[in-house]
Amino acid sequence: MYQNSNSQVLTTYSKLVVDLFCAVDSSGWESLAEIFHSNIIYERPGYSPFVGIERILQFYQMERVIASGKHHIEHITIDGSYGACWGRFVGISKDSSQIDELFADVYSFEKGKIKTRKTHFFRPAV
């Protein structure tokens, strides 16, 4: 990570992204309230936007089709109050099928938390 007058902010926001995937991969749902803004808006393909921390928790605890796995972050980049990361998720779905998915996330940050998140998957769609 480059150093500038905002290096503490860049480090904090990068850590939020890392902490997010650690919490998701370990099913540490209680940690998500410390990572996401209470009015989080999360968009991901195949779902209507999730609005609010309670809706995010419902998704992860009840609806997510993934049984287990790990996100492997390739890179995180932060620019002011915006950021992005990309990498690969490898895991198992609830129907026991293998998952190996490239992903990219785009974020906005507010008051030290993730305010918006938009996930993209690399597969034919258009």
Side-chain angles (χ1 to χ4, degrees):
M1 181 182 304
Y2 65 90
Q3 294 292 317
N4 67 17
S5 61
N6 293 320
S7 64
Q8 183 63 40
V9 170
L10 297 175
T11 301
T12 299
Y13 290 159
S14 292
K15 184 177 180 330
L16 273 177
V17 172
V18 171
D19 290 350
L20 166 62
F21 291 114
C22 287
V24 169
D25 292 346
S26 68
S27 301
W29 314 130
E30 67 285 347
S31 300
L32 294 180
E34 299 301 317
I35 295 166
F36 286 128
H37 190 281
S38 61
N39 295 317
I40 176 74
I41 299 170
Y42 177 27
E43 297 176 83
R44 68 184 281 135
Y47 297 88
S48 296
F50 304 129
V51 179
I53 189 66
E54 293 303 320
R55 180 64 183 100
I56 296 281
L57 292 172
Q58 178 184 340
F59 168 73
Y60 278 113
Q61 293 173 329
M62 307 295 226
E63 301 169 25
R64 190 172 185 235
V65 299
I66 297 169
S68 64
K70 180 163 177 41
H71 291 85
H72 303 275
I73 299 171
E74 188 176 314
H75 191 76
I76 300 171
T77 185
I78 305 294
D79 184 9
S81 60
Y82 298 93
C85 80
W86 52 93
R88 177 180 298 272
F89 176 83
V90 178
I92 299 173
S93 71
K94 288 181 179 174
D95 71 4
S96 300
S97 60
Q98 297 290 318
I99 302 170
D100 188 346
E101 189 78 46
L102 294 173
F103 72 90
D105 268 3
V106 180
Y107 307 96
S108 69
F109 304 98
E110 185 177 294
K111 298 182 181 177
K113 294 187 176 188
I114 297 172
K115 175 69 188 241
T116 63
R117 177 183 179 197
K118 186 179 286 190
T119 297
H120 304 271
F121 299 114
F122 292 83
R123 60 174 72 189
V126 180

